[in-house]
Amino acid sequence: MLEPYRVLDLTTERGLLCGQILADLGADVIKVEPPGGASARKLGPFYQDKPTPENSLYWWAYNRNKRGITLDVEQAKGQQVLRDLVKTAKFFIESENPGTLEKYGLGYEELATINPELIYISITPFGQDGPKASYADSDLVILACSGPLVITGDEDRPPVRLSVPQGYLHASAAAAPAALIALHESHRSRKGQHIDISAQQA
């Protein structure tokens, strides 16, 4: 379904599933990793219990059907390569803290001048703005702030967390159909847009 479209996936573990869903739908997803590899490569479990970047089963589970490239977006050369890739992309997914990519000239407003039809998806703990936008996060924090944690466990005991992190899986699962809705709209308007996904809200 998405074979004609390219996706640039700059997400951390906060948003890997979104890119995987688009890849499973046929999009050409390019996973952009920083020098030294993505942080998700350090997450277990590991194949044969060998904790190396190539053995992370977590990494492989959420990056199937993706191609990869290493770019240092904190440096001018890496920023320029990414801008060149944006010219041929339809989707751009990122999960940095609000304002991080803007510091490098890679925010939605800047990239939309290069590609006005770009659909830019941001996945953050509490959205791009508002009183909690800069709060620290973890899966446990997201589940507690959004409510599901209160219904886990027994009534006579404190809440318990699920063994597999859930907060950002829900955020990614909300981001992918939002991207498809934006794609449908762009067929009419020939314009992209910035999709703001809050993990707490998802």
Side-chain angles (χ1 to χ4, degrees), residues 1-124:
M1 185 170 87
L2 296 182
E3 187 175 355
Y5 305 109
R6 171 170 287 171
V7 180
L8 300 178
D9 183 349
L10 278 75
T11 60
T12 62
E13 48 273 21
R14 284 177 173 171
L16 292 174
L17 179 61
C18 178
Q20 179 195 296
I21 292 170
L22 299 181
D24 288 349
L25 292 172
D28 175 23
V29 180
I30 300 175
K31 181 71 190 88
V32 180
E33 294 187 67
S39 58
R41 287 184 179 273
K42 299 175 184 176
L43 299 177
F46 296 96
Y47 177 65
Q48 294 183 338
D49 292 325
K50 296 177 181 176
T52 67
E54 291 300 318
N55 283 0
S56 168
L57 298 179
Y58 182 97
W59 170 260
W60 290 113
Y62 294 112
N63 288 285
R64 66 172 181 256
N65 293 331
K66 298 179 185 179
R67 297 191 293 153
I69 187 174
T70 300
L71 289 177
D72 187 349
V73 298
E74 297 182 11
Q75 302 298 321
K77 185 176 180 181
Q79 294 163 13
Q80 188 54 52
V81 171
L82 190 61
R83 290 188 188 100
D84 290 340
L85 288 170
V86 163
K87 294 174 185 176
T88 61
K90 187 65 176 182
F91 302 96
F92 184 101
I93 317 168
E94 62 94 11
S95 61
E96 298 293 335
N97 290 330
T100 300
L101 291 181
E102 283 82 354
K103 289 189 305 188
Y104 307 120
L106 301 172
Y108 172 69
E109 298 298 332
E110 294 88 350
L111 297 186
T113 62
I114 299 171
N115 182 352
E117 294 190 32
L118 185 69
I119 296 167
Y120 191 109
I121 304 136
S122 295
I123 302 171
T124 57

Side-chain angles (χ1 to χ4, degrees), residues 162-175:
L162 298 176
S163 59
V164 176
Q166 296 292 307
Y168 284 107
L169 295 181
H170 282 275
S172 291

Side-chain angles (χ1 to χ4, degrees), residues 113-190:
T113 62
I114 299 171
N115 182 352
E117 294 190 32
L118 185 69
I119 296 167
Y120 191 109
I121 304 136
S122 295
I123 302 171
T124 57
F126 303 104
Q128 291 296 299
D129 50 34
K132 295 182 181 178
S134 62
Y135 279 25
D137 72 300
S138 68
D139 185 66
L140 189 60
V141 168
I142 295 298
L143 293 181
C145 290
S146 56
L149 196 64
V150 77
I151 62 172
T152 59
D154 300 318
E155 289 185 6
D156 60 339
R157 301 178 185 179
V160 295
R161 68 180 295 273
L162 298 176
S163 59
V164 176
Q166 296 292 307
Y168 284 107
L169 295 181
H170 282 275
S172 291
L180 297 181
I181 293 168
L183 175 63
H184 180 72
E185 161 59 20
S186 75
H187 290 161
R188 183 192 65 81
S189 66
R190 297 298 176 195

